[in-house]
Amino acid sequence: MAIWDLTDELNHPLDFLLIQNGFISLFHQQAVLDEATSWLRNHRYKVVKVDAAAWQSTVDLHQDVARALDFPDYYGSNLDALNDCLGDVAVQAYGWTASDAGLVLVIDGFEAFKGKDASTAHHLLDIFARQATYAALFGHRMMCLVRTGDPRLELPLVGGLSVAWNHHEFLSTR
């Protein structure tokens, strides 16, 4: 993973802005999310999207995430297995390759699933944040962009950090 230019402190690129406060960023406006994912794709990030609003149960969550990240057939479809497989994704065993600048998991409609199973929704983000930290130890960039229809959504600590709104919307969500 290339480092960012310290001399350009006031003009950091979008990827820096998205992960400077943690590996999970909140979005509300679809257009802002679309602009961010377009920028990331144009800068060689692999962007994969899941629709949490369609998840009726944890079974749906596990199937959707496993498909999006190319988990192996033996994936156990539980939170422990999710943690294990995301650890493999962190070291590029599957889900993305060294030719990608990084991996971006976009979770759309997060508040809908959070309303059905707040504990599992939180664990999903917490596991991703921990594995993104693990990925960084090997010079790999992973981030999760979470879009919600609730501009006032607040989440408990994820990976030991507060979950921040993206830099375009952070003032409008207060």
Side-chain angles (χ1 to χ4, degrees):
M1 161 174 54
I3 59 170
W4 287 283
D5 186 358
L6 184 60
T7 62
D8 196 20
E9 187 175 356
L10 298 177
N11 298 304
H12 286 300
L14 180 61
D15 49 357
F16 178 93
L17 295 172
L18 288 170
I19 64 174
Q20 71 179 341
N21 295 315
F23 297 102
I24 313 289
S25 296
L26 290 174
F27 286 77
H28 172 62
Q29 297 175 46
Q30 186 67 53
V32 175
L33 178 61
D34 291 345
E35 182 179 322
T37 56
S38 178
W39 188 95
L40 290 161
R41 280 188 186 99
N42 288 337
H43 287 81
R44 297 185 12 261
Y45 280 81
K46 180 172 183 182
V47 178
V48 296
K49 183 178 176 183
V50 295
D51 183 6
W55 300 342
Q56 297 304 310
S57 69
T58 57
V59 171
D60 297 329
L61 174 156
H62 290 288
Q63 288 176 345
D64 205 13
V65 171
R67 177 199 47 76
L69 295 174
D70 299 322
F71 285 3
D73 291 339
Y74 59 80
Y75 174 58
S77 296
N78 60 59
L79 293 174
D80 288 334
L82 177 67
N83 186 57
D84 290 345
C85 284
L86 280 176
D88 292 342
V89 169
V91 296
Q92 297 177 328
Y94 41 81
W96 60 312
T97 67
S99 65
D100 298 311
L103 174 70
V104 181
L105 175 63
V106 177
I107 303 175
D108 200 2
F110 182 78
E111 79 288 352
F113 185 70
K114 181 180 179 286
K116 293 174 189 149
D117 190 341
S119 176
T120 300
H122 176 258
H123 280 93
L124 169 63
L125 298 183
D126 197 56
I127 290 167
F128 189 94
R130 281 183 288 143
Q131 294 305 341
T133 301
Y134 182 64
L137 295 173
F138 299 99
H140 302 156
R141 293 181 186 161
M142 287 174 48
M143 67 183 88
C144 183
L145 310 183
V146 178
R147 197 185 77 74
T148 174
D150 179 359
R152 305 242 185 271
L153 180 73
E154 293 185 22
L155 297 171
L157 295 179
V158 171
L161 299 171
S162 297
V163 178
W165 285 90
N166 69 84
H167 68 288
H168 284 296
E169 296 180 298
F170 75 98
L171 289 178
S172 64
T173 58
R174 297 188 183 263

